[in-house]
């Protein structure tokens, strides 16, 4: 990958220096955090002290590690419980403490492994109150127990320069839309970005490494493994970053192959044509439904939308189920012979979701050539007897060592097929996640072929999603040229 | 294959006994052959005796081996030349002798390795006068030199019973349309049938062996090879019958995989549902073009006919070139994305040929999903730069480790594509056999989509061919149920 034209290195340096300045919190930002958040933590400590189950209250996340980006302050306050505390108690005490500090109305309950509390806007900050167990890194009782260890590790290993580099990498992954380890995104966590910077010493080195396209990418900072080349096999992944506080965990496990590839490709493009646009997302203006309708009408694309209600579920569960449902529907289409171009699912995470599936063509040929058994198999005669009397459209005939027939397809119109698939006659047998199934049985998802799918773009968020789906390109590619 | 219902063995025995009686020549048939053919041979001997190059004149083929079928008498008279004779001399003397005996007008020149003479109808017989060299089996100068050795081998090893069995097998292979080693047919030669009967001792045993579907089928009567299991590898075939007079030759080499499979499948069907119809071909009545037109109009099949002139060539050369041309055209269609159901070529062997190609659909989708390079390849950036600016219909986007785009197809209509393919703009670059190319350049083949292809059925022979193509089934399967 060394042979393509690189942008003048000086230019990139200037560009990155500028961005570093822009995203680094200013003294007044630190002041503001201190003045608002420290009293909150003190307050939580005060209320927690009544409960012998609570060991400690501490600030975690990018704020604690000082790797946060100016203007993007998410506050993670962890309540560390003694390991003998029962889960119910941990949950109920967290709730009780949060209610005391912020009032019941401001507290929104969220779910990861166990519930945590979010205060959407506390004087300009979003605050998460997260319970975990205070345990050594080797004795984890829940996934969130790792966080304090991660925070400590980064604080111990980062200097000012590395913090700047980590901010750059986080901002870049956000800009190219691969940031976030949640199921919806399947991308890079903040901790992963920090470890990559620690391993390669700078943002540019990370990009050089990934843009080379050489896989696997393996990082084992503390050299837990004598022979790191076994790690892709061990972790079943081409991208392994061993967790420095838990050698059996791959910090990059959440990164899907597609997200990894997008990071690789974006690195290649950025290094060739560097631009601030890779870091800063200026949201596209949503198009009006009428505009999208006309576009879809003109280009005759075969995009089907399926609008479906969603149950109340924690986001990771919801997105896991929506993605599974999408996979199931897409596989059924493929089995029927439809050529799926791409597919994606959108949701407002409150009321409904829209599955988008693009096909090469809405319709299939009426007839299809089907393969029968080899004449040398024990099924040969049965096949000849079954179709020999003329029940196929044409054949059976023999080609090389096999029987073939021309058959009439059961489903020629993908829209009719999808309607059947999601009808009460069929929906129970698809293997859909139970939450979705029970909801969709009483309220059948609606099919919108193109161009009618454009009418759903009354939701501006979905309008952008559909617009991007039609365009097909990742945002960073769309704005690079 | 032993577990399917077999017809009562007695019934088959009765059936086969009847057929044996019907196809065995009667004393009066032998009388007729003797009275007509012996004088001819004497005559040829007389004229040949003037030429010192001629060693011998002898009757060959099924008549000499007494494995001919009543009413199907092809007479092969071989003129055996001394090995030092030059090829031109061999050809010109054969011509001279034939002209003397039959008169110039009755002699039609044919071509195999070297030319031979056919007299289409000499008092009810078709006579071939074939030149060859009289050489030991190990020193062949031309393929026809083997024939006298084959004849001798069969005469030495056959008794009356084996002759009957060989007649049955020949009649069966003719009935199921797999008889004939010529390029057009790619089937079983008479000699191959005889060797199979010799190896398995009876018609029924041959059918049992093939119907089992166990491949490879290996016959090495004279045990030339210590380990016959190497023969499929040596001869690159699943069906090897070592020539008893030439151990390096596979007598079954001409049998295509499709023809072998048809024989296997027909054996399975016959043993389950024996019938005289497997042996006797009652030709279907040709359908009128209007009838076929209506059929094709109704069923909406996508059958394209290509009518093309043919050059004057020996049949084996002609069929080799026609089949090659068909393969080339079919491959081009496949490369363009068309789904080819089946294809075949017909010719009157005098003036023209018709290629028939059935597609799942005449039209393809306007758009197609195309795979780009992996993001890890050195082509990744170039691909992003090429399509990134928006020159694809949609994308490029990344799926797993690869780039993809949605592209517009160049060819959506197979008929238009074929017209382009065979136009002067393109036809030179297809790699067509030179004989066909030079003819088709001056006289472009004509495309007939269905249902218009039915209009070509004014030729009754082609009408049957098209009818069978539409039906799809081999004749024996069509009449079995």
């Amino acid at each position: 990958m060394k042979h393509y034209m690189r942008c003048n290195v000086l230019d990139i340096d200037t560009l990155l220096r500028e961005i570093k300045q822009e995203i680094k919190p200013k003294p007044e930002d630190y002041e503001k955090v201190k003045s608002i958040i420290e009293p909150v933590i003190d307050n939580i400590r005060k209320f927690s002290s009544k409960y012998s189950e609570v060991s400690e209250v501490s600030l975690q996340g990018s704020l604690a590690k000082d790797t946060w980006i100016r203007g993007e302050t998410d506050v993670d306050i962890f309540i560390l419980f003694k390991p003998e505390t029962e889960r119910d108690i941990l949950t109920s005490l967290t709730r009780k403490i949060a209610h005391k500090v912020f009032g019941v109305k401001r507290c929104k309950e969220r779910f990861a492994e166990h519930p945590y509390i979010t205060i959407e806007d506390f004087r300009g900050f979003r605050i998460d109150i997260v319970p975990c167990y205070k345990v050594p890194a080797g004795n984890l009782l829940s996934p969130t127990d790792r966080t304090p260890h991660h925070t400590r590790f980064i604080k111990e290993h980062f200097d000012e320069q590395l913090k700047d580099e980590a901010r750059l990498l986080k901002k870049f992954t956000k800009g190219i839309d691969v940031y976030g380890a949640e199921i919806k995104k399947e991308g890079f966590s903040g901790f992963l970005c920090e470890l990559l910077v620690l391993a390669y010493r700078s943002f540019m080195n990370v990009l050089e490494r990934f843009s080379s396209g050489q896989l696997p990418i393996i990082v084992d900072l503390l050299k837990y493994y004598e022979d790191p080349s076994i790690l892709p096999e061990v972790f079943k992944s081409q991208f392994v970053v061993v967790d420095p506080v838990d050698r059996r965990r791959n910090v990059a496990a959440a990164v899907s192959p597609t997200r990894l590839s997008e990071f690789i490709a974006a690195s290649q493009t950025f290094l060739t044509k560097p631009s601030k646009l890779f870091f800063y997302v200026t949201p596209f203006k949503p198009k009006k439904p009428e505009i999208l309708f006309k576009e879809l009408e003109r280009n005759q694309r075969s995009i089907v939308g399926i609008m479906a209600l969603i149950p109340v579920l924690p986001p990771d569960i919801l997105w896991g189920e929506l993605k599974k449902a999408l996979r199931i529907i897409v596989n059924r289409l493929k089995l029927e012979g439809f050529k799926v171009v791409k597919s994606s699912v959108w949701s407002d995470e409150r009321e409904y979701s829209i599955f988008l599936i693009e096909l090469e063509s809405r319709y299939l040929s009426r007839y299809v050539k089907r393969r029968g058994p080899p004449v040398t198999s024990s099924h040969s005669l049965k096949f000849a007897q079954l179709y020999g009397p003329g029940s196929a459209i044409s054949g059976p005939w023999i080609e090389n060592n096999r029987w073939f027939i021309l058959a009439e397809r059961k489903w020629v119109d993908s829209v009719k097929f999808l309607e059947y698939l999601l009808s009460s006659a069929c929906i129970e047998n698809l293997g859909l996640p139970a939450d979705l199934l029970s909801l969709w049985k009483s309220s059948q998802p609606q099919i919108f072929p193109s161009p009618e799918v454009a009418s759903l773009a009354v939701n501006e968020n979905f309008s952008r999603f559909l617009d991007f789906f039609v365009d097909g390109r990742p945002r960073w590619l769309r704005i690079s040229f």
Side-chain angles (χ1 to χ4, degrees), chain A:
Chain A
M1 289 299 307
K2 289 287 172 195
H3 54 280
Y4 54 78
M5 281 291 288
R6 275 292 161 75
C7 173
N8 189 313
V9 175
L10 263 181
D11 292 349
I12 293 203
D13 281 354
T14 314
L15 184 81
L16 295 182
R17 206 173 312 123
E18 268 182 48
I19 298 170
K20 267 185 211 166
Q21 284 311 314
E22 290 163 9
I23 64 178
K24 192 189 183 79
K26 305 249 177 296
E28 57 267 33
D29 299 317
Y30 287 110
E31 268 311 309
K32 191 182 167 197
V33 168
K34 207 178 155 170
S35 66
I36 295 172
I37 300 305
E38 276 195 358
V40 167
I41 296 176
D42 287 346
N43 240 335
I44 296 176
R45 282 213 181 97
K46 203 178 78 192
F47 284 109
S48 301
S49 63
K50 294 179 200 163
Y51 305 106
S52 61
E53 289 90 344
V54 177
S55 280
E56 193 182 324
V57 173
S58 74
L59 186 65
Q60 299 290 338
S62 60
L63 219 51
K65 294 179 279 190
D66 191 19
T67 56
W68 54 294
I69 289 165
R70 186 168 191 239
E72 300 179 7
T73 349
D74 277 2
V75 184
D76 299 314
I77 300 171
F78 273 54
I79 304 178
L80 287 77
F81 287 82
K82 291 181 181 154
E84 53 273 23
T85 315
E86 281 184 49
R87 299 219 163 198
D88 306 2
I89 307 293
L90 174 144
T91 301
S92 61
L93 285 184
T94 304
R95 190 183 293 130
K96 207 175 272 180
I97 294 164
H99 287 181
K100 280 278 188 195
V101 176
F102 301 99
V104 178
K105 277 185 85 176
R106 288 175 113 169
C107 293
K108 217 162 132 180
E109 218 152 298
R110 307 248 175 180
F111 301 81
E113 181 82 353
H114 33 241
Y116 63 98
I117 309 286
T118 295
I119 299 91
E120 286 288 1
D121 184 8
F122 182 82
R123 301 178 61 191
F125 293 97
R126 184 193 137 111
I127 300 178
D128 285 339
I129 310 293
V130 184
C132 76
Y133 290 102
K134 183 174 183 178
V135 283
N139 297 344
L140 302 176
L141 292 170
S142 81
T144 46
D145 303 350
R146 273 192 207 97
T147 305
H149 299 284
H150 289 166
T151 304
R152 190 177 328 109
F153 180 84
I154 293 299
K155 282 166 94 168
E156 282 170 15
H157 290 81
F158 262 39
D159 55 19
E160 282 307 309
Q161 203 192 319
L162 284 178
K163 287 178 191 172
D164 279 345
E165 299 295 325
R167 284 192 193 98
L168 269 183
L169 184 55
K170 279 193 201 177
K171 191 73 182 163
F172 182 78
T173 54
K174 285 179 180 186
I176 64 167
D177 207 20
V178 303
Y179 183 84
E182 65 273 18
I183 304 285
K184 179 186 175 184
K185 187 65 70 177
E186 298 180 318
F188 291 58
S189 67
F191 184 50
L192 176 57
C193 291
E194 289 154 2
L195 291 181
L196 289 173
V197 161
L198 197 52
Y200 297 105
R201 312 311 297 174
S202 77
F203 168 76
M204 275 298 281
N205 287 347
V206 173
L207 258 62
E208 293 276 1
R209 173 65 187 90
F210 279 78
S211 71
S212 79
Q214 281 174 307
L215 296 183
I217 289 169
I218 302 172
V219 171
D220 180 15
L221 282 161
L222 299 189
K223 303 204 193 313
Y224 282 126
Y225 296 87
E226 220 170 89
D227 177 10
S229 71
I230 61 160
L231 292 175
E233 180 56 30
V234 172
F235 288 105
K236 307 265 172 264
S237 172
Q238 290 292 298
F239 182 20
V240 177
V241 177
V242 179
D243 190 335
V245 309
D246 180 358
R247 55 172 278 167
R248 290 154 308 160
R249 181 170 172 264
N250 175 14
V251 181
V255 181
S256 71
T258 300
R259 227 50 79 222
L260 170 61
S261 298
E262 284 173 348
F263 184 75
I264 290 171
S267 300
Q268 292 163 354
T269 308
F270 174 77
L271 291 176
T272 316
K273 216 180 163 188
S275 153
K276 277 200 184 177
L277 294 167
F278 282 84
F279 295 85
Y280 298 100
V281 180
T282 39
F284 281 71
K285 231 188 95 187
K287 286 182 184 158
K288 291 227 162 57
E290 310 86 79
I291 304 291
L292 283 164
F293 188 95
K294 268 184 200 138
E295 276 183 32
L296 288 173
E297 203 176 31
R298 198 169 45 240
N299 64 25
Q300 294 188 284
R301 301 263 291 275
S302 303
I303 297 172
V304 191
I306 305 172
M307 190 173 75
L309 296 184
I310 54 168
V312 179
L313 288 171
D316 266 5
I317 310 287
L318 174 67
W319 284 103
E321 297 197 353
L322 290 176
K323 286 183 175 193
K324 187 176 178 193
L326 180 63
R327 264 198 314 277
I328 288 170
I329 295 167
V330 162
N331 280 338
R332 287 297 183 123
L333 283 164
K334 285 181 180 168
L335 279 175
E336 217 56 41
F338 292 98
K339 296 270 185 261
V340 177
V341 174
K342 51 193 153 89
S343 62
S344 195
V345 55
W346 171 91
S347 176
D348 63 0
E349 297 191 7
R350 292 184 304 113
E351 286 179 73
Y352 68 113
S353 59
I354 301 172
F355 299 84
L356 288 181
I357 301 171
E358 175 160 18
L359 304 172
E360 287 189 358
S361 169
R362 171 174 167 173
Y363 300 97
L364 288 177
S365 63
R366 179 171 164 195
Y367 300 123
V368 62
K369 178 178 181 177
R370 291 211 198 282
R371 220 173 69 158
V375 297
T376 51
S377 92
S378 61
H379 305 290
S380 170
L381 184 71
K382 267 175 270 171
F383 190 84
Q385 287 172 327
L386 178 60
Y387 291 108
S391 51
I393 297 296
S394 181
W397 68 90
I398 291 166
E399 245 177 79
N400 293 316
N401 70 332
R402 274 195 184 274
W403 287 104
F404 287 87
I405 55 164
L406 187 69
E408 186 150 17
R409 282 186 203 276
K410 202 167 163 198
W411 296 101
V412 161
D413 179 354
S414 55
V415 171
K416 290 217 175 101
F417 174 64
L418 285 170
E419 270 163 6
Y420 162 75
L421 208 64
L422 298 169
S423 72
S424 52
C426 191
I427 196 165
E428 301 227 37
N429 310 318
L430 297 181
L432 289 171
D435 299 315
L436 300 183
L437 177 61
S438 63
L439 185 61
W440 293 356
K441 264 165 67 184
S442 58
S443 172
Q444 195 181 317
Q446 277 179 278
I447 319 283
F448 294 79
S450 51
E452 285 81 17
V453 65
S455 66
L456 300 174
V458 286
N459 179 312
E460 292 197 344
N461 198 331
F462 175 71
S463 172
R464 279 196 207 92
F465 185 82
L466 177 57
D467 190 17
F468 266 97
F469 189 87
V470 171
D471 182 90
R473 290 172 292 175
R475 196 196 62 90
W476 55 267
L477 189 61
R478 197 168 170 178
I479 49 93
S480 290
F481 296 99

